[in-house]
């Protein structure tokens, strides 16, 4: 619904400061200049920019990553701010109607037409509406001319030939209202309350894209057409085409398709404000039992006009570094042994082109807001009073230089989306698309200017003084003492005497020697996919797949035997704290020390528990591959188990349980495992005290043997030399003491049963009274038989089409019904076929009947040939394009030695998908989807909420 522009903020600010960004405002009838025409920045010359005589603009760029694909987007420079008082929600409603019929495409046929071409609705066919723009998006799986022509044809239909049939509008109302209902959550209400407090008189608060119930219910074909005709005009439109096409040929097609489009002048867009600069001293307390404790200190001020120039980008770099230093200091406190808060951050956000806001945000544990506020304010004031050190600036410069160098090194294989996003930034923010290479040159030229004094001057120029600020509290319970206590705490924080802190000494990375290099016992290159398969003497399996799909990038994934197989009925939470392990750092370095030591290097440190293994994954570069392997090896051999990770874990547990039933999805997700498994403790949410009882000491007992002795399988995919990679692996993971030769079978823990109790289950949530969730589930089978698995997957795709057509298009009861068919590779016999719909509480029975009607269709008659085509074609296209990315290759290479059957399955998958018949799908539905054996779960509002 809205976009963000938050300069160098930590992650904690992302939710607290969700603000719109400024756009290139245009007066009615005035031609919009390209921002690069008035900038001294060097434009990326590989873009083709143009404007038709009618005022419509277009941007075309050739790009062959992924090869043979493309993206087409229609950008309309009008969103919810363009609505009149009686049109609230119409910009978004028009977006919905664009898929419902036009002069040359009958109602309901646009999506079907695209599905026949291999575009899945939602994944490849989508749209979005914001305050200031509406964007229609098509991801093309092929670059053939016919598909491109179809995409351009449909975009022209959207631009000038929509038909707003009253009956279609009435059906779509239910879908739009369903989307509004689903989005009405505690987080959304908290956001709206924050906007109301910070910007009480701003116009944009009255123009949320989702609209109002009253306005949406009153919409008619004529009223929607009025908004569309007024705003969908050539001067408001830009067509974007990026992909494996000849730009000149694309341009000719655009000219032929859109030149005869005419329309009135684009209307002026109302101002998003006003936002008063002189508005101090107010306080807000917002309570919701699902919210963690957070305090925001803010001041508003006038917007600063910063056109995109070399000088302004230099100032942006200096500000980014300054905010980075302050937030790095605050993050360091959060990772201490007795952290005063969960996270905190300082930053400045732009409110369209009407204002700016300086924010200090503190996210604390329950009852800890005051301690957290004092600590964060101390770091904020210390930065402004004492400035920054050379070492702090150098750390930020190293990280920034690394990111810019990586962008330049990988410039030739950037994906289509990168160029589309750059074009959107040009249109919305006036940001000139330049090349990564020129960005690196400008950065190196300005490095002498990056001094502590200049960095401080840059943020002081933007930050508003937080004197007598706006103070907002959100949390589960009101702060003791209320608003007076909040303001008294801030006054105390601002009056506290300060002392400059001494910078610590920077250590060297301590994990570079793991003993004599290991040696390779066997080495073969698999003939079908060219995967290098090696076996080291210590038991390590190594799978290598060099690619040129992404320059200067290497995907790394290490599987370590164990994972969730360690969770037993007697010890179901054995791996419950694994995700927190990196926060404990390594034995010789804390997590915070590692952040400084590894600044400027492209490495990642994370570990998670998968079904059968612990997984360590990262993306690195050829120059940092050795360090990445050293870091992974150190994670196995010397995890830190420091208490900092435990503290963060326990605070997360408290938040999790506070939100246990806050929304229908949360209530279902947290109860589902126990329902399906008859309360098997491995899959059932345990009481909060069980999670509170976990510790790193216990985790060490549960997983240390697997980290030290468990079988290893390492996969590398990307831009590397195999022989060099083998040598680096030999010095790290290959040098470890002998490991177990194979992944353990864990036969006892692989048993998983589906409940025999098929009685109706009713859960309750604490959300709104009109929100309900309906889930119908059948047990199927596991993933061991390839053809059966493919058929079940395709049956799920067919059911998705039928369910969407019934619940969304015909009945208008839900925004996004879903079907999933999952077959386990871990648990014998385990598989699920599931239908889920979020509906109005009043529609539960009708929706249930409609869902079962879909199942009855699948069981009673063979699938219609067109429906099967529309289900099958996107699946085939996904397989066709899967190995055009490193991520797709990694899914294949990951366990290529321990699960070699997956290679053969992938090689034959397209043929098997193509061979599935309608009769086979009907037989499958008859076998598994017996309505008498369905497990139905309803999630209804809590009557006592």
């Amino acid at each position: 619904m809205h976009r963000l522009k938050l300069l160098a903020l930590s992650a904690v600010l992302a939710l607290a400061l969700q603000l719109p960004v400024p756009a290139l405002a245009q007066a009615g009838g005035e031609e919009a200049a390209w921002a690069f025409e008035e900038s001294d920045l060097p434009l990326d010359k590989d873009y083709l920019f143009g404007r038709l005589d009618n005022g419509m603009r277009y941007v075309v760029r050739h790009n062959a990553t992924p090869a043979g694909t493309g993206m087409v987007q229609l950008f309309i420079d009008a969103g919810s701010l363009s609505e009149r008082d009686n049109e609230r929600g119409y910009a978004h409603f028009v977006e919905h109607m664009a898929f419902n019929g036009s002069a040359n495409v009958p109602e309901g046929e646009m999506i079907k037409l695209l599905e026949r071409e291999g575009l899945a609705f939602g994944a490849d066919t989508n749209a979005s509406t914001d305050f200031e723009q509406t964007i229609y998006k098509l991801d093309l799986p092929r670059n053939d001319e016919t598909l491109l022509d179809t995409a351009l044809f449909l975009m022209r239909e959207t631009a000038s030939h929509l038909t707003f049939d009253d009956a279609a509008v009435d059906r779509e109302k239910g879908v739009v209202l369903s989307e509004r209902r689903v989005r009405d959550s505690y987080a959304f209400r908290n956001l709206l309350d924050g906007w109301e407090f910070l910007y009480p008189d701003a116009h944009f608060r009255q123009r949320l894209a989702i609209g109002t119930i009253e306005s949406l219910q009153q919409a008619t074909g004529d009223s929607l057409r009025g908004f569309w005709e007024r705003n969908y005009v050539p001067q408001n439109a830009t067509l974007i085409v990026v992909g494996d096409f000849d730009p000149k040929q694309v341009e000719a097609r655009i000219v032929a398709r859109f030149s005869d489009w005419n329309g009135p002048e684009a209307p002026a867009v109302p101002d998003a404000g006003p936002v008063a600069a002189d508005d101090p001293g107010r306080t807000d307390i917002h309570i919701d039992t699902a919210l963690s404790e957070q305090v925001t200190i803010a001041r508003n001020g006038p917007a600063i006009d910063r056109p995109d120039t070399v000088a302004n980008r230099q100032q942006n770099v200096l500000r980014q570094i300054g905010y980075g230093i302050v937030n790095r200091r605050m993050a360091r406190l959060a990772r201490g042994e007795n952290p005063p808060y969960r996270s905190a951050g300082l930053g400045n956000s732009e409110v369209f082109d009407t204002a700016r806001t300086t924010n200090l945000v503190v996210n604390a544990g329950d009852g800890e807001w005051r301690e957290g506020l004092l600590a964060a304010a101390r770091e904020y004031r210390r930065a402004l009073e004492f400035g920054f050190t050379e070492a702090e600036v150098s750390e930020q410069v190293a990280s920034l230089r690394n990111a810019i160098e990586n962008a330049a090194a990988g410039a030739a294989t950037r994906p289509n989306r990168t160029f589309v996003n750059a074009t959107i930034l040009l249109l919305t923010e006036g940001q000139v698309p330049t090349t990564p290479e020129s960005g690196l040159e400008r950065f190196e030229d300005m490095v002498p200017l990056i001094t502590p004094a200049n960095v401080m001057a840059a943020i002081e120029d933007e930050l508003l003084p937080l004197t007598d600020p706006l103070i907002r509290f959100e949390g589960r319970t009101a702060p003791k003492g209320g608003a007076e206590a909040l303001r008294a705490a801030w006054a105390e924080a601002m009056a506290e005497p300060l002392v400059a802190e001494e910078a610590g000494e920077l250590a060297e990375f301590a994990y570079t020697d793991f003993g004599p290099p290991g040696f390779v016992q066997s080495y073969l290159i698999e003939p079908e996919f060219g995967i290098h398969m090696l076996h080291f003497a210590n038991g390590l399996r190594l799978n290598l797949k060099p690619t040129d799909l992404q320059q200067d990038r290497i995907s790394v994934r290490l599987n370590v035997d164990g994972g969730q197989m360690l969770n037993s009925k007697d010890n179901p939470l054995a791996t419950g704290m694994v995700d927190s392990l990196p926060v404990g750092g390594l034995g010789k370095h804390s997590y915070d020390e590692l952040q400084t030591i590894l600044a400027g290097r492209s490495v990642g440190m994370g570990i998670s528990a998968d079904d059968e293994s612990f997984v360590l994954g990262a993306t690195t570069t050829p120059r940092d591959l050795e360090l990445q392997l050293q870091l992974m090896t150190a994670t196995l051999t010397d995890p830190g188990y420091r208490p900092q990770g435990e503290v963060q874990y326990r605070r997360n547990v408290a938040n999790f349980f506070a939100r246990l039933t806050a929304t229908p999805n949360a209530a279902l997700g947290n109860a589902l495992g126990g329902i399906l498994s008859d309360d098997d403790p491995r899959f059932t949410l345990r009481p909060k005290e069980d999670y509170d009882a976990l510790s790193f000491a216990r985790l060490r007992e549960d997983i240390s043997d697997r980290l030290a002795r468990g079988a290893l399988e390492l996969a590398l995919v990307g831009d590397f030399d195999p022989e060099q990679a083998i040598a680096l692996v030999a010095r790290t993971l290959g040098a470890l003491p002998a490991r177990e030769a194979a992944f353990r079978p864990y036969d006892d823990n692989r048993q998983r049963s589906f409940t025999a109790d098929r009685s109706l289950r009713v859960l309750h949530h604490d959300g709104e009274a009109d929100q309900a969730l309906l889930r119908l589930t059948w047990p199927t089978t596991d993933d061991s038989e390839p053809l059966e698995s493919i058929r079940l997957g395709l049956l799920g795709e067919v059911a998705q089409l039928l369910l969407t057509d019934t619940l969304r298009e015909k009945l208008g009861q839900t925004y996004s019904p879903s079907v999933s068919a999952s077959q386990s590779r871990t648990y014998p016999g385990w598989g699920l076929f599931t239908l889920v719909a979020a509906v109005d509480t009043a529609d539960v029975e009708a929706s249930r009947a409609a869902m079962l009607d879909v199942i009855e269709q699948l069981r009673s008659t063979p699938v219609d040939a067109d429906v099967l085509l529309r289900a099958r074609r996107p699946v085939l296209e996904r397989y066709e394009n899967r190995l055009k990315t490193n991520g797709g290759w990694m899914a294949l290479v990951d366990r290529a030695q321990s699960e070699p059957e997956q290679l053969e399955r992938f090689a034959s998958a397209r043929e098997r998908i193509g061979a599935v018949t309608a009769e086979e799908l009907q037989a499958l539905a008859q076998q598994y989807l017996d309505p008498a054996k369905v497990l139905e779960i309803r999630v209804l509002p809590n009557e006592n909420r």
Side-chain angles (χ1 to χ4, degrees):
M1 290 183 58
H2 49 271
R3 291 175 292 110
L4 319 177
K5 187 177 183 183
L6 305 176
L7 300 178
L9 300 185
S10 63
V12 64
L13 297 178
L15 289 178
L17 307 176
Q18 297 188 63
L19 299 171
V21 303
L24 299 175
Q26 301 298 323
E30 180 182 343
E31 285 196 352
W34 297 106
F36 54 77
E37 294 173 347
E38 299 174 349
S39 174
D40 58 351
L41 286 160
L43 178 68
D44 181 347
K45 299 299 184 182
D46 287 332
Y47 286 89
L48 190 161
F49 296 94
R51 185 197 306 272
L52 302 179
D53 291 341
N54 59 15
M56 190 193 96
R57 296 185 290 178
Y58 55 88
V59 182
V60 183
R61 196 185 199 284
H62 174 262
N63 186 58
T65 305
T69 66
M71 300 178 74
V72 178
Q73 297 197 359
L74 176 63
F75 177 96
I76 301 295
D77 197 10
S80 57
L81 278 178
S82 297
E83 298 165 353
R84 295 169 178 168
D85 287 343
N86 63 340
E87 296 177 329
R88 294 172 66 178
Y90 280 21
H92 177 239
F93 206 143
V94 167
E95 172 214 308
H96 275 244
M97 294 304 299
F99 295 102
N100 267 301
S102 66
N104 299 296
V105 182
E107 182 189 349
E109 286 300 313
M110 183 177 291
I111 296 299
K112 294 178 182 178
L113 186 156
L114 291 167
E115 287 167 342
R116 295 180 192 112
E117 292 288 350
L119 281 74
F121 182 50
D124 307 309
T125 305
N126 215 324
S128 62
T129 303
D130 207 331
F131 286 103
E132 296 176 298
Q133 59 272 155
T134 306
I135 308 176
Y136 297 90
K137 312 168 187 180
L138 297 177
D139 291 358
L140 308 185
R142 305 181 312 282
N143 62 342
D144 65 68
E145 295 181 0
T146 300
L147 181 54
L148 176 61
D149 282 339
T150 298
L152 297 180
F153 160 71
L154 293 177
M155 291 305 190
R156 176 61 196 273
E157 292 293 292
T158 299
S160 62
H161 295 316
L162 295 184
T163 55
F164 293 89
D165 178 77
D166 282 330
V169 169
D170 286 340
R171 283 191 294 273
E172 197 65 24
K173 282 180 185 178
V175 179
V176 177
L177 289 168
S178 171
E179 184 175 354
R180 190 184 193 282
R181 183 176 60 248
V182 168
R183 295 184 187 279
D184 188 6
S185 67
Y186 70 90
F188 183 63
R189 293 189 294 273
N190 182 46
L191 174 66
L192 298 187
D193 181 84
W195 280 354
E196 181 180 0
F197 171 66
L198 291 172
Y199 314 110
D201 300 320
H203 176 66
F204 80 85
R205 290 201 310 104
Q206 307 302 322
R207 290 296 181 268
L208 300 179
I210 200 61
T212 66
I213 294 176
E214 179 183 17
S215 175
L216 294 172
Q217 287 177 335
Q218 292 176 354
T220 66
D222 285 342
S223 63
L224 291 175
R225 185 181 297 107
F227 175 88
W228 172 73
E229 289 178 342
R230 190 172 74 245
N231 292 286
Y232 281 56
V233 297
Q235 294 176 44
N236 269 353
T238 304
L239 190 69
I240 306 166
V241 181
V242 175
D244 208 351
F245 307 104
D246 179 277
K248 286 298 183 181
Q249 292 183 10
V250 174
E251 181 181 39
R253 283 176 161 80
I254 293 172
V255 171
R257 180 70 67 180
F258 289 89
S259 289
D260 63 348
W261 177 23
N262 296 301
E265 292 183 349
V269 178
D271 184 80
V275 176
D278 185 19
D279 183 28
R282 294 188 294 111
T283 308
D284 179 47
I285 296 175
H286 179 73
I287 302 303
D288 193 298
T289 55
L291 291 174
S292 60
E293 212 161 83
Q294 182 169 285
V295 181
T296 300
I297 309 296
R299 281 301 300 265
N300 295 323
I304 302 175
D305 182 25
R306 295 195 186 103
D308 195 19
T309 63
V310 171
N312 280 333
R313 285 203 182 182
Q314 289 179 343
Q315 289 300 303
N316 286 340
V317 168
L318 295 173
R319 280 189 291 272
Q320 179 178 348
I321 290 172
Y323 293 132
I325 293 172
V326 176
N327 293 325
R328 175 79 172 86
R329 292 180 179 181
M330 293 187 180
R332 182 175 291 116
L333 286 181
R335 297 174 187 139
E337 292 190 12
N338 296 295
Y341 45 63
R342 296 177 64 231
S343 56
L346 173 73
N348 194 78
S349 55
E350 298 177 4
V351 189
F352 296 89
D353 58 354
T354 195
R356 76 186 196 274
T357 304
T358 292
N359 306 271
L360 176 64
V361 180
V362 183
N363 196 332
D366 288 344
E368 298 177 347
W369 68 266
R370 187 177 182 279
E371 178 187 0
L373 180 60
L374 292 174
R378 191 178 302 123
E379 291 307 318
Y380 156 72
R381 291 181 56 217
R382 185 179 284 128
L384 294 181
E385 183 166 335
F386 299 113
F388 307 133
T389 68
E390 291 282 359
E392 289 177 314
V393 171
S394 295
E395 180 178 329
Q396 296 297 319
V397 168
S399 296
L400 186 55
R401 174 183 278 116
N402 181 64
I404 296 172
E405 287 177 343
N406 286 349
T413 52
R414 287 169 287 172
N416 293 331
R417 191 168 302 279
T418 298
F419 300 105
V420 171
N421 291 343
T423 303
I424 299 297
L425 287 174
L426 170 67
L427 299 173
T428 58
E429 299 181 41
Q431 183 171 309
V432 178
T434 60
T435 66
E437 295 87 348
S438 71
L440 180 57
E441 291 175 5
R442 288 191 302 278
F443 176 76
E444 294 298 351
D445 287 344
M446 77 163 293
V447 165
L449 302 176
I450 307 177
T451 64
N454 285 344
V455 168
M456 178 55 66
I459 65 169
E460 286 181 330
D461 182 57
E462 179 176 78
L463 288 174
L464 295 160
L466 294 177
T467 53
D468 198 16
L470 304 173
I471 302 179
R472 182 175 186 272
F473 175 92
E474 63 190 67
R476 289 184 258 281
T477 58
K480 185 177 181 180
E484 291 183 2
L486 289 167
R487 303 209 73 85
W490 181 250
E492 178 184 344
M494 296 302 283
E496 179 183 340
L498 295 178
V499 177
E501 289 193 343
E502 296 289 330
E505 292 292 324
L506 179 62
E508 294 289 333
F509 187 60
Y511 299 91
T512 58
D513 186 0
F514 299 95
F519 64 91
V520 176
Q521 282 189 329
S522 66
Y523 186 168
L524 63 86
I525 299 178
E526 184 274 335
E528 178 76 16
F529 297 100
I531 302 172
H532 300 236
M533 298 181 176
L534 296 85
H535 200 168
F536 278 79
N538 68 348
L540 169 69
R541 294 182 175 100
L542 174 62
N543 306 322
L544 305 175
K545 178 57 187 179
T547 75
D548 57 3
L549 301 173
Q550 196 174 8
Q551 284 186 351
D552 198 53
R553 298 293 185 275
I554 306 171
S555 295
V556 185
R557 184 177 170 100
L558 175 65
N559 282 278
V560 185
D561 177 65
Q564 294 177 27
M565 286 289 103
L566 301 186
N567 297 335
S568 65
K569 291 184 177 181
D570 294 332
N571 186 13
L573 299 180
T575 62
M577 289 186 71
V578 166
D579 289 352
S580 300
L581 192 57
V583 185
L586 299 173
K588 298 177 182 178
H589 303 301
S590 69
Y591 185 82
D592 190 76
E593 290 168 345
L594 284 170
Q595 186 169 343
T596 297
I597 293 169
L598 303 176
R601 308 297 293 272
S602 297
V603 295
M605 181 181 177
I607 183 171
S608 61
D610 211 343
D611 280 355
E612 301 177 312
S613 63
F614 297 108
V615 178
L616 291 75
T619 298
T620 187
T621 65
R623 57 189 172 278
D624 286 331
L625 177 59
E626 181 172 21
L627 179 60
Q628 180 63 68
L629 293 171
Q630 290 171 343
L631 189 59
M632 285 182 165
T633 309
T635 300
L636 296 186
T637 58
D638 194 23
Y641 295 108
R642 283 182 175 77
Q644 290 93 323
E646 292 186 352
V647 174
Q648 293 287 17
Y649 167 80
R650 295 189 206 296
R651 285 174 167 168
N652 291 337
V653 167
N655 280 338
F656 173 82
F657 275 90
R659 299 167 181 168
L660 204 62
T661 57
T663 66
N665 280 322
L668 175 62
N670 292 323
L672 185 61
I675 293 174
L676 296 180
S677 67
D678 287 331
D679 297 321
D680 185 323
R682 296 173 297 163
F683 312 111
T684 303
L685 184 69
R686 313 309 304 156
K688 180 177 180 293
E689 51 267 27
D690 289 5
Y691 296 90
D692 288 335
L694 297 181
S695 66
F696 272 168
R698 178 173 163 184
L699 180 67
R700 186 199 298 262
E701 291 180 5
D702 288 332
I703 72 170
S704 59
D705 175 74
R706 294 297 80 208
L707 297 188
R709 303 195 314 91
L712 301 178
E713 187 160 5
L714 175 68
L716 304 183
V717 174
D719 184 9
F720 60 86
D721 175 83
E723 293 305 318
Q724 293 178 358
I726 293 168
L728 296 178
V729 172
R731 295 200 294 267
T732 51
L733 292 165
L736 294 178
R739 316 282 298 198
E740 292 175 358
F743 288 77
R744 289 181 175 179
Y746 298 101
D747 292 333
D748 291 342
N749 271 0
R750 289 187 186 274
Q751 304 309 308
R752 185 173 187 177
S753 60
F754 190 92
T755 179
D757 180 3
R758 306 300 166 84
S759 60
L760 171 67
R761 315 298 178 89
V762 179
L763 306 173
H764 293 94
H765 66 84
D766 300 319
E768 294 302 292
D770 58 354
Q771 295 176 336
L773 199 61
L774 185 59
R775 177 185 171 110
L776 305 181
T777 300
W778 288 264
T780 57
T781 188
D782 59 39
D783 188 50
S784 59
E785 209 292 306
L787 188 54
E788 185 84 342
S789 184
I790 281 174
R791 288 170 178 160
L792 279 166
L794 196 53
L795 182 65
E797 300 287 342
V798 168
Q800 178 69 67
L801 295 181
L802 297 178
L803 188 65
T804 300
D805 187 56
T806 300
L807 279 184
R808 176 176 169 137
E809 303 304 329
K810 292 179 180 178
L811 300 178
Q813 290 182 347
T814 186
Y815 167 58
S816 183
S818 66
V819 177
S820 64
S822 60
Q823 297 84 51
S824 176
R825 291 165 59 177
T826 305
Y827 301 100
W830 180 263
L832 302 176
F833 194 96
T834 301
L835 282 65
V836 179
V839 299
D840 192 298
T841 309
D843 292 334
V844 168
E845 290 295 345
S847 297
R848 176 184 184 273
M851 294 164 80
L852 289 176
D853 280 347
V854 167
I855 297 301
E856 182 56 33
Q857 288 181 57
L858 294 174
R859 289 169 57 85
S860 62
T861 58
V863 177
D864 176 81
D866 183 62
V867 172
L868 182 53
L869 170 65
R870 290 163 43 215
R872 192 194 324 255
R873 189 67 184 273
V875 176
L876 289 170
E877 293 290 357
R878 287 198 292 271
Y879 269 94
E880 187 68 31
N881 289 319
R882 180 170 161 183
L883 299 187
K884 293 180 180 179
T885 66
N886 283 347
W889 271 109
M890 180 57 79
L892 197 63
V893 175
D894 180 26
R895 298 283 298 274
Q897 291 190 61
S898 56
E899 297 180 351
E901 69 279 2
Q902 298 302 321
L903 301 180
E904 186 280 328
R905 292 180 64 157
F906 181 82
S908 56
R910 280 166 288 187
E911 180 181 349
R912 287 169 171 161
I913 293 168
V916 174
T917 68
E919 291 73 20
E920 289 172 336
L921 295 184
Q922 181 187 8
L924 210 61
Q926 292 173 345
Q927 177 182 355
Y928 291 114
L929 307 184
D930 183 350
K933 297 180 179 179
V934 66
L935 173 62
E936 178 181 349
I937 305 175
R938 299 183 182 186
V939 189
L940 303 176
N942 189 337
E943 296 178 358
N944 300 319
R945 62 188 179 83

